[in-house]
Amino acid sequence: MNDSTPLSFSTLTPDCVLDALESVGLYSDGRLLALNSYENRVYQVGMEDGPPLVAKFYRPARWTDAAILEEHAFVHELVESEIPVVPATALANGKTLHAFAGYRFAVFARHGGRAPELDDPATLEWLGRFIGRIHAVGALKNFEHRPALNIQTFGIEPRDYLLANNFIPPDLLDAYRSVVTQALDGVQRCYERAGDVSTLRLHGDCHCGNVLWTDAGPHFVDFDDSRSGPAIQDLWMLLSGERRDMVRQFSDLLAGYEDFAEFDTRELHLIEALRTLRLIHYAAWLARRWDDPAFPVAFPWFNTQRYWQDRILELREQVALMDEAPLWTN
């Protein structure tokens, strides 16, 4: 990245998108559809020759080039292992990451699909098998340029950002500071109970919105949040409902997962800890992006009195949940 890198998406007009694609030899028929993405800008682009493509323009200053290329390389490793993921396309110059007018972008094949039916045991087992395969590849080496998911990066740093930038209403500040401290103490206890668990390269944001299902099974999209972390991070977001429901769902996932990767049951201590970190990190993610005009429109409830009251109650609930016994699969 250089000094000409824009600070926002304000100059990423439709003409800029089409010109960027033409700069790498891709000629659109003029059809451009903005897809549902806030962190980056993602478009389905109709082509003069062939099916539509998907172009992702990366948020300026979020990742280094090396970090983006490391994600692309990881997904390519998964493709080589015949795992159904959607890689960045290497164009005629052999590159997957391109630059135009200060923006960085990548191009992907368009893949359709529907959300997986997570109440179906067979679907969960199928998902578990592919996540196990992803993790088997992810464990082969480490990320060098992409950060880890841990208490510091997903808890302490976002907490400090929120407090330092005056997002919490003054009358709720003491309550929020107190409960987020309790929550991070609870996270620390969960990690201590889990012990020295292994970390590996992950999808990082493996919820049902990033799994597209067809009659041929799942394929995994959007590795933009890929990080190093414990294996359970790619499993817990597929669980929902009451405790007994989550036990059954996790048993189904694990039935497929352990065909390809061994699961350390100590990581069950981390489910509520990781959920807590995600809640803290998400609030700070919204706060960090609040200058982006797309965010106040899409998230009008953020930074209201009610929003922070709800976050305080949510974290109080998590403090209690983190001291409960972990899920078991028997």
Side-chain angles (χ1 to χ4, degrees):
M1 298 175 60
N2 54 49
D3 292 340
S4 65
T5 300
L7 297 178
S8 72
F9 289 115
S10 60
T11 60
L12 186 64
T13 62
D15 284 345
C16 184
V17 171
L18 299 181
D19 289 345
L21 292 173
E22 288 189 12
S23 75
V24 293
L26 297 174
Y27 296 93
S28 170
D29 61 9
R31 291 176 297 159
L32 194 66
L33 175 65
L35 301 181
N36 186 25
S37 176
Y38 297 105
E39 182 62 17
N40 304 298
R41 295 294 185 266
V42 183
Y43 303 92
Q44 178 179 298
V45 186
M47 305 305 296
E48 289 182 353
D49 298 309
L53 298 175
V54 173
K56 176 194 284 187
F57 288 77
Y58 292 91
R59 178 169 291 276
R62 184 188 181 211
W63 296 122
T64 64
D65 288 359
I68 295 173
L69 289 171
E70 195 167 48
E71 173 220 327
H72 291 181
F74 177 39
V75 177
H76 183 68
E77 287 179 62
L78 300 177
V79 171
E80 290 184 327
S81 295
E82 299 182 342
I83 297 170
V85 295
V86 181
T89 302
L91 299 178
N93 57 12
K95 297 180 179 179
T96 57
L97 182 63
H98 316 282
F100 182 84
Y103 292 103
R104 296 167 301 162
F105 68 99
V107 178
F108 302 81
R110 176 182 172 273
H111 285 261
R114 58 187 183 274
E117 297 179 5
L118 297 182
D119 57 348
D120 179 8
T123 295
L124 288 170
E125 185 173 345
W126 203 340
L127 284 171
R129 283 198 295 272
F130 279 115
I131 295 172
R133 291 178 63 189
I134 290 171
H135 287 183
V137 174
L140 294 177
K141 60 184 180 182
N142 299 320
F143 280 139
E144 295 182 9
H145 302 286
R146 299 185 74 83
L149 192 167
N150 54 37
I151 299 173
Q152 180 66 31
T153 59
F154 261 54
I156 294 172
E157 289 178 5
R159 184 270 315 271
D160 290 349
Y161 181 85
L162 290 170
L163 293 176
N165 287 276
N166 302 316
F167 278 94
I168 319 299
D171 58 317
L172 297 176
L173 183 58
D174 288 344
Y176 183 82
R177 183 184 285 114
S178 174
V179 75
V180 76
T181 298
Q182 294 175 51
L184 291 175
D185 288 345
V187 170
Q188 183 63 47
R189 290 194 300 273
C190 289
Y191 270 81
E192 289 170 356
R193 287 193 289 267
D196 187 20
V197 298
S198 299
T199 61
L200 65 156
R201 294 176 296 170
L202 304 166
H203 180 287
D205 195 26
C206 194
H207 56 75
C208 62
N210 283 333
V211 181
L212 297 179
W213 195 273
T214 67
D215 292 341
H219 54 273
F220 296 80
V221 299
D222 196 2
F223 280 72
D224 193 58
D225 286 308
S226 187
R227 295 170 178 259
S228 299
I232 192 69
Q233 170 64 17
D234 279 349
L235 297 167
W236 75 263
M237 277 185 279
L238 299 174
L239 310 178
S240 62
E242 301 294 330
R243 181 184 177 89
R244 63 179 179 275
D245 299 320
M246 291 192 288
V247 169
R248 176 189 58 77
Q249 293 159 6
F250 192 77
S251 296
D252 295 333
L253 282 169
L254 207 58
Y257 183 90
E258 292 202 311
D259 286 344
F260 296 95
E262 183 178 354
F263 179 74
D264 184 348
T265 55
R266 294 180 302 164
E267 292 189 28
L268 292 169
H269 288 284
L270 299 181
I271 290 178
E272 294 304 331
L274 291 168
R275 193 191 313 276
T276 301
L277 291 177
R278 186 175 177 84
L279 293 171
I280 299 169
H281 182 269
Y282 182 73
W285 175 71
L286 290 173
R288 291 177 191 274
R289 304 294 183 252
W290 204 236
D291 289 338
D292 182 334
F295 275 67
V297 174
F299 307 99
W301 35 260
F302 174 70
N303 213 30
T304 61
Q305 188 84 2
R306 177 63 180 273
Y307 175 82
W308 292 110
Q309 289 172 340
D310 288 346
R311 300 293 74 75
I312 290 168
L313 291 174
E314 192 172 55
L315 289 177
R316 284 175 179 162
E317 292 174 357
Q318 285 303 118
V319 169
L321 288 170
M322 283 187 288
D323 283 331
E324 290 188 1
L327 295 180
W328 295 106
T329 58
N330 52 28

